[in-house]
Amino acid sequence: MTRQRGEVVVETRDLCMHFGGVRAVDQVDFTLFDRELRCLIGPNGAGKSTFFKCLTGQLTPTSGDVIIRGQEMTAAEPFEVASLGVGIKTQVPNVFDGLTVEENIWLSARRWHGDSRARSLTAATIERLRLGDIRRTLVGQLAHGQRQWVELGMVVAAEPWLVLLDEPAAGMTHEETYRTVELIEEINKTSALIVVEHDMQFIRMISRTVTLFHEGRILMQDTMEAISADPRAREVYLGHRA
Amino acid sequence: MLRQMRPTLVYALLGIVFMFAAPHVLQLFTIINLTTAIALAILALSLALIWGYGGILCFGQVAFFGLGAYVYTISAINIGGSTWAILIAVLLTSAFAAALGYFIFFGRVSDVYLGVITLTVTLIFFSLIRRTSGPEYKIGKALLGGFNGVSSPPINLPWDARTFLFPEQVFYVAMAALILCYVFVGWLVNTKFGRVCVSIRENELRSELLGYDVRLYKLGIFTIGAGIAAVGGVMFCNGVGRITPDVFNLYNAALTIIWVIVGGRGTLIGPIGATFALFYLTSALGGQSVLNNNLVLGVILIVFVLLVPKGVAPTVIDWVNRRRRKRPVRSRRRRRGRAEDAR
Ligand SMILES: Nc1ncnc2c1ncn2[C@@H]1O[C@H](COP(=O)(O)OP(=O)(O)O)[C@@H](O)[C@H]1O
Ligand SMILES: [Mg+2]
């Protein structure tokens, strides 16, 4: 059911993240292959973001392992995960509000390259994401959707081989959402992706293997069509929205 | 880089002109007083760096200033010359800050506790050194002298311990130190290191998610800031002629913060200017007895926090930019972005 394209790049084994009595993530075994595009869905509070934070080092799991490209990353700091070449976008936009769009993106490119290469990569990224008109605007003055794009720009400018996006289309207009889907497809030509999303329209547009979270566990993992047709999935998730 | 450095270099040039003109125009008494103000301006510059650019609100920046002054004084007495003493003062103070910073940043201590810890360290120095009156408290040849402090040997020519500098010459040295530190910091905040520090100030998690080890950058800027404060301390005890534990008191710790608030975070020239302005305001107030000094400073602080929260320099820059924006398109130039940060 998963399209296997070579090596496993992300793996969790028996991953648990408990907050007191709340089992936000519980015994999750997860595998992502190279160049795969995977969507994580599930109702609010299902544990998607918590799982995401365990992958990115923002949370240290209660138990279990996170392995990225063969490296044990369970207790790693976020910068160590990012330093493997992983691009990360959080659910709540994290951008540098007091700096310009250009410098936000430059800071990402500069992590990996010298000054002149970083600058040309910044220019290319700004062009690619069509941020040219606002390149010198402070990010704090932008609308929510544009800030999301700046954050996507930072992810892209680092040229990551693995991209982790938590609700990238939240708060975007229909047009922006559509372009985000295009961008994700484009990123997927060279990188593996995990996209956490709540919005079903969005997931249908991407339409790949979908992992359905429910109460901290993986309930199903299949194509979107199969999940849409499954009564259990309808009950926990689709039922809420229908 | 040169474009971003331009305002810094312009101010540095003005500083050089002032440095050579002042001794011809001003009285010796004023020059000696100025040396003290310059030393304090270096302290303000160091906090402008780590707070204004690094986002680290250190309540005890004056601890590094005082430590630098004490280490200089004690080393100069023991060595019998100032050249090594200055180096030792800056390096030892930086090393102390690095050790303290290691526990703070690698222990991921929160911002509030960072303020508390640094202030506590300052007050510990204050009470410890106050208690060192008596012949048993000495380091090598230097008596610590308790609350009376130690008198500081003046700076001598490099590697020539017998030719001491006169007060005017110490003024030149202090002014040169301020200008060099200012240009250095102005350059630093435009390097990759500086920009990453600014990004950490803006959003620590994002910097981390870009792959920067935030702890290391914070430790770096904190240590450099302490080294600069130590330079200020060395100039201070030269200007005053002695160093006492009062340098570590709460008043001085608060004053440093006030300079940066009044001058403006995110600029360098602002806090430097504010230091001179407040220094002369307090000396002027010292000559009268109608208004209490602390009361006036307190009122200034409240006025700024409420009415000019960004501080003088950023407010002026905003105002100038807004005026320029209203002018015809022809005179518009690229002005937003990094250049604003570089002043
Ligand atoms: N830091 C935390 N402390 C306590 N409970 C938390 C914390 N973070 C998340 N939770 C709980 O974990 C569950 C999963 O949350 P989350 O991962 O944000 O869900 P999702 O992203 O799928 O909407 C929720 O019940 C939430 O209240
Ligand atoms: Mg979430």
Side-chain angles (χ1 to χ4, degrees), chain B residues 298-342:
Chain B
V299 169
I300 289 178
L301 178 65
I302 291 169
V303 165
F304 268 84
V305 167
L306 293 179
L307 300 179
V308 202
K310 282 171 140 186
V312 172
T315 306
V316 171
I317 292 171
D318 280 356
W319 184 77
V320 170
N321 280 345
R322 231 175 297 132
R323 301 248 349 200
R324 270 205 231 156
R325 222 162 287 165
K326 281 184 190 148
R327 276 200 256 147
V329 184
R330 189 164 46 83
S331 64
R332 278 199 195 178
R333 290 249 308 278
R334 291 195 286 171
R335 62 191 168 265
R336 281 197 229 149
R338 294 172 59 164
E340 256 174 38
D341 247 355

Side-chain angles (χ1 to χ4, degrees), chain A residues 58 77-79 82-83 88 90 94-100 103 106-108 110-111 136-137 151, chain B residues 108 192 195-196 198-199 201-203 205-213 215 334 336-338 341:
Chain A
Q58 294 174 71
E77 299 284 341
F79 84 89
S83 295
I88 300 158
T90 51
N94 271 297
V95 285
F96 305 124
D97 278 336
L99 305 178
T100 62
E103 200 174 3
W106 178 84
L107 278 157
S108 173
R110 189 68 179 83
R111 167 65 184 78
R136 287 179 194 284
T137 311
E151 202 176 9
Chain B
R108 301 249 188 215
K192 177 198 173 188
R195 301 321 297 168
V196 173
V198 168
S199 82
R201 173 194 79 188
E202 289 296 316
N203 188 331
L205 177 59
R206 177 36 73 193
S207 311
E208 182 105 7
L209 292 175
L210 293 183
Y212 295 110
D213 187 350
R215 304 167 300 182
R334 291 195 286 171
R336 281 197 229 149
R338 294 172 59 164
D341 247 355

Side-chain angles (χ1 to χ4, degrees), chain A residues 43-50 52-53 91-92 166-167 196 198:
Chain A
N44 255 326
K48 306 178 299 290
S49 290
T50 305
F52 186 90
K53 284 178 186 165
Q91 180 173 353
V92 183
D166 195 351
E167 306 212 7
V196 174
H198 190 83

